Amino acid sequence: MIGWGTAWTIARRNLSARFRGLRLLLVCLFLGVGALAAIGTLTGAIERELSSRGRTILGGDLEVAVWQRGASAAETAVFAKQGRVSGGQRLQAMARAGDLAAPIELKAIDGQWPLYGALTLKDGRTVGAPPAGQAWIAEGAAERLRLAKGSQFAVGSAELTVAGIIASEPDRLGEGFTLGPVVLVDTGFPQAAGLTAPGAMYRSKYRIALKPGKDPQATADALKKQFPSAGFEVKTRDKASPGAERFVGRMGDFLVLVGLAALAIAGIGIGGGVSSYLEARRTSVATLKVLGATSGDIARIFLLQIGAAALIGSVLGLIAGVLVTPLLGQALGSLLPVAPGLVLDPLALIRAATYGLLIALIFAAPPLLAARRFPAMALFRARVSPLTQNWRDAALPAGLGLLAIAALALLTTKAKLVTLWFLGGTVVLLLLLGALGWGIRVMAARLPRPKRPLLRIALANLHRPGAQTGALVTALGFGLAAFVTLAAIQTSLDANIMARVPQKAPDYFVLDVPRDGAEQFRSAVTRIAPQARVRMVPALRGAILAYGPADAMIRVADLKEIPEEAWPLRGERGLTYADTVPEGNVVTKGAWWPSGYAGAPLVSIDESLAEALDLKIGEQLTIGLMGVERTATIASFRRIDWDSMGFNYVLVFSPNTLADAPHNLAATINLPGGGDRGGLLRALVKAFPSSSVIEVGGVLTQARDLLRQVSLAILAAASVAVLAGIAVLLGAIAAARASRLYDNVILRVLGASGRQLLGLQLAEYALLAILLAAVALGLGSLVAWLVVVQLFDFDWLPDWPQVFGVLGLGLLLVIGFALAASLPLLRAKPAQALREL
C-alpha cells in the first residue's frame, strides 16, 4: 500500500484546479456550512450580549413591578434589605407643546437611577435623574413635538423644560414594548401632574442591586412567598428581556434546523456529485488497479481529493457565514435585541465545519467504497454492465457519522426534543424517498410497454440497469417539497398578519378617563365628531392568585411551571366589570348575572383559560387588587373575539365585586368617515390632561411592520434550504445527463432526431415530477406546519391556490432544467463519444 504522501501526489495531479466534477460538493457544503456558521455566530453573539448585559438591560439584579400603587412601607423595607434600591413609575401619558400633542411613555426615576450603565445625552453628557421641573426626552418626542433643549411642554397638569435629548438609555430594552417615545422625569412629577391619583393606570418599578452572594432567582422566589397577595411581577438579570430572549431562542432553534435541513439536502447532492465524479474517473481507477494499486490506495487517493474539496467548500462557507452576519443583523432590524456587527464565534464556526465534514463523510462513503471494491475489468465494463453499490460496506462510516451528528446536535441545542424529532424525521424521509424510488423502478418494470417508441424508452429508462431513478426521486422530492414549504410558510404568515392585526379597529384608545367625567368626555367627543361612537368600560389591573374548588384552591405562587395556554396567570392583567355580556363575547357555559346584581361576587372567564386550568362552574377565583385579595365564584365561560380591537378581558366581574376599588375608565372612539382627527385630539388633550390618548393607526402599522419583519426573517432563513434543494436538483439532473451520453449516442446512430431525444427527456422527467408532486405537497406542507404552528405559535392559514401554483411552477422549472441539461447531449459528436467508451 502506498503512503499518504504518494497518495496526495497522485490525488493533486488528478485534481482539477477548478474542481471540475466536484463543484456540486463545493456548492452544497458552501450553502450548508455558511448557513450554520452565520446562524451560530449571530445567535451566539446575541445570547452572550444578553447574558453579559443582563444587569444593564434590566437596570438591576432584580426588578419588582406592581400596578396602580406604590410599594408599601413593609415591602420597601424588605427591598432595602436585599441591596441598593432605585424606585419610580412608568405610565402612558400625553405630552403637549402648543397645538401639538403626542403619546409618550413617562418614566419617573429617583436619584439612585441607573444602578447599572449610564444615561448619555446627545450633547455628550452622562447624567442621572433630571432636576425637578425638567426632563430628558427621546429624540422621537423632540421631533413629534418640535422641541429643543430649553423648550417648554406640558404633561398632565404640570409644565416641564427640556433639559436634554437622550442618546442612549441603559435599560431601554428591559422596559419592553411602548406606545410612544420616552420622557424621563423625577419621581415627584407624576403625582404633581395628577397622573397617579387613585385608580390611575400606572406601574411602580423597583430595581435592586443585590448584596454580594445573593442569588437573584432565590431572592425573587422569597419575595413572592413573603408577599403572596401583592401581585408582584418579578424579573431577574438572567431574564432581563424575556420577549427578546424567547424570540432569539425560537429563531435560533429554527435557524439551526434550517441549517441542518440545508446540510441534509446538500448531503444528497454530495452523494450524487461524488458518484458522478468517480464515474467520470472510472478509467483512471481501473488503470491504477491494473498498475498494482490496492483498494486501500484507491480509497486514499480519492478520499484526499474529496476531502480537499470538502475542506475548501467548508472554509468558504465559514467565511461567507461570518461576513453575512452583519447583513442578517441589519435585515432583522428591531427584532434583534442587540446589533452584533462583525463577530467571531470560534465554537460556532468549529461546529458548523464539523457538521459539514460529517455530512460529506456520510454521503460520500457509499460511492467511494464502491469504487475501491470492484476489480479493474468490472470498472472497464461499467458502461454495459453498471456497477452496483453495496450499502453494507458504507454502513460503518455512515452510521458513525450519523451518530456523531445526532450527538453534536443534541449537545449544542436547547430544543433537544425538536432537534431529535427533526433528525429522526430526516432519516425517515430519506428512507421513504429511497423506498419510493425503488417502488417506481419496480412499477415501471412491470407496467405494460407503450406502443409509441419514445414512451417505451422513457419508461424503460426508469428501471433499466444504471438508471438514476433513485437519485432523481430523492432530489426531486426534496426540491419540490422546498418550494411547497416556502409557499405555505409565506402565505400562512401573510394571512396571520392580516388576521392578527385587524384592518378595522377603533380610531383611538383613551386611558384614565375619570369616572365622574364620563359624560363630559362623551360630550367633548361628540362636539367635534357628532357621528363618533364612544364606548367606555371600567379599567383595573390585578393578578390571579388562586383558583379551583373553595376547599382546595390552587395557589399560583405554588405552581412550579405555568402552562403556555394559561398565560393570564403570569403577572397582573386587565380587569373590568359589567352588567351585561361585553360586545363581541358569547357565553358558552353557565349564565350571566342579572342587571343590578347585589349577591355574592361573581366572575366570567375566557373559555380557553378555563379549559387550560380545568375550571368548573361554581368554583372560585381569587385575585390580588392593589395588594388586597378578592374572591369571586365562577358564573360562566365566554368565547372572546380576540380578532377585534375592542375591549377584550379574560376576567369580567359582577359590578359589586370591584366597583368600590379606586379606578378610572378606558374608552374607544370610532370616527365614521375619518372625522376631524386633529381637532378631536387637541380637544381631548386639553379637556383631559391626565388621560392618555393613543392613535390606533400608528400602533397597527407598528404591529404589521413587526410581524412582517418576523415573516421576512423566517422566509430568508428557509430560502437557504430552498437554494440547497435547487443545487441538489441541478446536480442530480447533471449526473443523469452524464449517464445518458452513451444512450443518446446509440439512439442518434440508429437515426433518432434531436426533437425525439428532447421528447424522450421531457416524457421521463414529466412522469417522475408528476408522480412526486403529491409527495412533495404532503412533505412540504408538514414541514411548513411544524414551523408556523409548533415553532412560532402562529395559526395555520396557507393560501392553497397559491401553494399549488408554486408547486406547478416548480414542476415547470424541473422540466426546464432537465431540457436545458439535455441540450449538450444533442451537440455531442457520436464518433468522439464512441471512441471514449
Side-chain angles (χ1 to χ4, degrees):
M1 184 178 293
I2 62 176
W4 284 102
T6 305
W8 171 243
T9 300
I10 299 173
R12 181 166 47 83
R13 288 176 178 174
N14 288 333
L15 195 62
S16 168
R18 293 181 293 174
F19 288 95
R20 187 173 183 179
L22 290 174
R23 292 173 190 167
L24 183 59
L25 182 148
L26 280 167
V27 170
C28 289
L29 281 177
F30 173 80
L31 287 172
V33 173
L36 282 174
I39 291 161
T41 302
L42 183 67
T43 56
I46 294 170
E47 289 171 356
R48 282 196 306 275
E49 192 80 1
L50 284 173
S51 177
S52 64
R53 292 182 56 220
R55 282 176 169 168
T56 305
I57 291 171
L58 184 64
D61 297 302
L62 200 69
E63 178 190 271
V64 182
V66 62
W67 281 90
Q68 293 187 287
R69 69 181 182 91
S72 65
E75 292 166 347
T76 304
V78 172
F79 297 163
K81 289 180 181 179
Q82 313 306 318
R84 292 187 300 121
V85 181
S86 172
Q89 296 86 36
R90 310 290 185 273
L91 61 148
Q92 192 69 33
M94 292 296 295
R96 310 181 307 279
D99 290 336
L100 299 175
I104 61 166
E105 180 204 2
L106 193 68
K107 180 173 175 177
I109 51 179
D110 63 11
Q112 296 294 320
W113 185 92
L115 295 175
Y116 297 101
L119 175 69
T120 306
L121 302 180
K122 287 285 187 181
D123 57 16
R125 286 182 292 160
T126 299
V127 296
Q134 298 184 16
W136 315 125
I137 69 172
E139 192 169 9
E143 290 176 353
R144 290 196 64 177
L145 297 172
R146 299 175 188 171
L147 298 174
K149 186 178 178 181
S151 300
Q152 299 285 323
F153 69 103
V155 177
S157 58
E159 295 282 334
L160 285 167
T161 301
V162 178
I165 311 297
I166 299 170
S168 174
E169 184 185 357
D171 55 357
R172 180 71 264 150
L173 182 61
E175 297 290 3
F177 181 79
T178 61
L179 294 173
V182 68
V183 172
L184 301 182
V185 295
D186 70 286
T187 50
F189 179 81
Q191 184 175 0
L195 300 173
T196 56
M201 197 64 67
Y202 68 95
R203 182 163 45 168
S204 297
K205 285 190 177 185
Y206 300 88
R207 271 76 177 272
I208 306 173
L210 295 174
K211 294 178 180 179
K214 280 189 171 290
D215 178 73
Q217 190 58 53
T219 305
D221 294 340
L223 286 174
K224 287 184 175 181
K225 189 173 182 180
Q226 187 171 355
F227 301 102
S229 303
F232 286 159
E233 294 179 24
V234 185
K235 290 196 293 187
T236 65
R237 67 189 183 212
D238 300 325
K239 300 287 183 181
S241 181
E245 289 181 351
R246 186 161 50 251
F247 172 74
V248 171
R250 289 189 179 184
M251 198 67 191
D253 292 337
F254 171 66
L255 291 173
V256 168
L257 294 183
V258 166
L260 290 175
L263 274 178
I265 297 172
I268 302 166
I270 290 169
V274 171
S275 295
S276 299
Y277 180 73
L278 293 174
E279 170 62 24
R281 281 151 182 78
R282 63 184 176 83
T283 305
S284 301
V285 175
T287 302
L288 287 170
K289 286 197 170 187
V290 168
L291 295 175
T294 65
S295 296
D297 297 332
I298 300 298
R300 286 188 179 190
I301 292 169
F302 287 97
L303 180 62
L304 287 169
Q305 290 185 353
I306 294 167
L311 189 61
I312 291 175
S314 298
V315 169
L316 291 175
L318 294 177
I319 295 171
V322 171
L323 294 177
V324 82
T325 303
L327 299 178
L328 286 175
Q330 186 177 0
L332 291 173
S334 59
L335 293 179
L336 286 176
V338 291
L342 187 62
V343 293
L344 288 175
D345 187 336
L347 289 178
L349 299 181
I350 292 171
R351 187 164 59 244
T354 304
Y355 275 129
L357 294 177
L358 286 173
I359 287 287
L361 167 68
I362 293 168
F363 287 92
L368 183 60
L369 293 174
R372 68 184 285 276
R373 187 168 59 86
F374 288 98
M377 293 309 295
L379 288 165
F380 279 124
R381 294 195 301 269
R383 283 292 188 192
V384 293
S385 180
L387 303 175
T388 58
Q389 294 186 6
N390 188 348
W391 285 91
R392 285 177 297 181
D393 291 345
L396 181 60
L400 290 176
L402 287 172
L403 288 175
I405 285 178
L408 183 60
L410 292 174
L411 287 173
T412 56
T413 184
K414 295 177 183 177
K416 290 181 170 48
L417 185 60
V418 175
T419 303
L420 189 62
W421 275 102
F422 172 81
L423 293 172
T426 301
V427 173
V428 170
L429 287 176
L430 286 172
L431 292 175
L432 285 176
L433 288 173
L436 180 62
W438 175 83
I440 290 176
R441 293 187 65 168
V442 171
M443 182 179 67
R446 295 181 178 179
L447 285 175
R449 295 293 174 266
K451 294 182 179 180
R452 299 184 64 176
L454 287 180
L455 290 178
R456 186 164 63 248
I457 296 172
L459 186 63
N461 281 342
L462 296 179
H463 66 83
R464 64 177 177 78
Q468 298 289 318
T469 305
L472 285 172
V473 164
T474 306
L476 286 172
F478 271 105
L480 292 174
F483 283 110
V484 172
T485 298
L486 203 63
I489 289 176
Q490 180 185 3
T491 57
S492 197
L493 291 177
D494 287 345
N496 271 275
I497 293 172
M498 298 294 291
R500 294 195 176 204
V501 184
Q503 302 304 302
K504 294 183 179 180
D507 295 280
Y508 292 101
F509 273 112
V510 186
L511 303 177
D512 286 327
V513 178
R515 271 199 292 176
D516 57 3
E519 288 305 318
Q520 181 187 355
F521 179 85
R522 195 181 298 274
S523 299
V525 174
T526 54
R527 187 165 53 249
I528 302 296
Q531 302 300 317
R533 180 171 178 263
V534 180
R535 183 186 173 204
M536 286 183 280
V537 300
L540 303 92
R541 297 287 299 194
I544 299 175
L545 302 179
Y547 59 89
D551 56 349
M553 295 187 74
I554 299 171
R555 302 289 297 186
V556 174
D558 296 334
L559 295 176
K560 294 182 178 179
E561 186 177 355
I562 295 176
E564 189 74 24
E565 299 79 11
W567 55 267
L569 299 184
R570 298 187 179 97
E572 294 193 342
R573 298 292 161 190
L575 308 175
T576 193
Y577 59 85
D579 267 328
T580 58
V581 180
E583 183 179 323
N585 288 215
V586 178
V587 175
T588 57
K589 194 172 184 181
W592 200 261
W593 44 86
S595 180
Y597 173 79
L602 299 177
V603 63
S604 178
I605 298 179
D606 171 32
E607 63 177 0
S608 300
L609 177 62
E611 183 180 349
L613 300 180
D614 194 26
L615 295 174
K616 306 289 189 300
I617 300 295
E619 292 183 344
Q620 294 190 329
L621 185 85
T622 298
I623 62 168
L625 182 64
M626 299 181 189
V628 178
E629 290 192 10
R630 299 190 181 211
T631 300
T633 301
I634 300 173
S636 64
F637 300 145
R638 289 169 297 117
R639 183 182 302 116
I640 301 173
D641 180 15
W642 292 107
D643 290 335
S644 72
M645 284 287 286
F647 292 113
N648 293 315
Y649 287 89
V650 173
L651 305 178
V652 178
F653 291 85
S654 58
N656 62 323
T657 308
L658 303 180
D660 62 328
H663 64 278
N664 289 323
L665 305 177
T668 59
I669 304 173
N670 291 80
L671 298 176
D676 183 6
R677 295 176 180 270
L680 178 60
L681 181 61
R682 288 190 295 271
L684 290 178
V685 171
K686 184 177 180 180
F688 297 90
S690 62
S691 300
S692 179
V693 184
I694 302 166
E695 193 171 5
V696 179
V699 177
L700 295 182
T701 300
Q702 190 175 356
R704 289 192 188 100
D705 289 344
L706 190 65
L707 286 173
R708 285 196 178 98
Q709 281 186 293
V710 174
S711 173
L712 286 174
I714 294 171
L715 291 173
S719 298
V720 176
V722 175
L723 288 175
I726 292 174
V728 171
L729 184 58
L730 292 173
I733 292 173
R737 180 192 67 189
S739 67
R740 298 292 165 78
L741 178 61
Y742 177 73
D743 299 342
N744 278 32
V745 165
I746 297 300
L747 289 173
R748 289 190 64 186
V749 169
L750 294 176
S753 66
R755 180 180 298 177
Q756 288 175 318
L757 293 178
L758 281 177
L760 176 62
Q761 296 294 316
L762 177 63
E764 181 180 346
Y765 280 99
L767 183 60
L768 273 180
I770 291 170
L771 287 173
L772 288 169
V775 175
L777 182 64
L779 175 60
S781 300
L782 175 61
V783 174
W785 178 82
L786 289 172
V787 171
V788 172
V789 178
Q790 297 300 311
L791 197 57
F792 286 99
D793 287 334
F794 286 115
D795 295 327
W796 178 237
L797 301 170
D799 183 346
W800 289 112
Q802 189 169 338
V803 173
F804 281 109
V806 171
L807 178 59
L809 178 62
L811 292 173
L812 292 176
L813 284 176
V814 167
I815 294 172
F817 288 154
L819 293 179
S822 301
L823 293 177
L825 296 178
L826 303 180
R827 295 193 295 268
K829 297 180 179 180
Q832 181 180 352
L834 291 172
R835 282 197 299 269
E836 292 175 356
L837 295 177

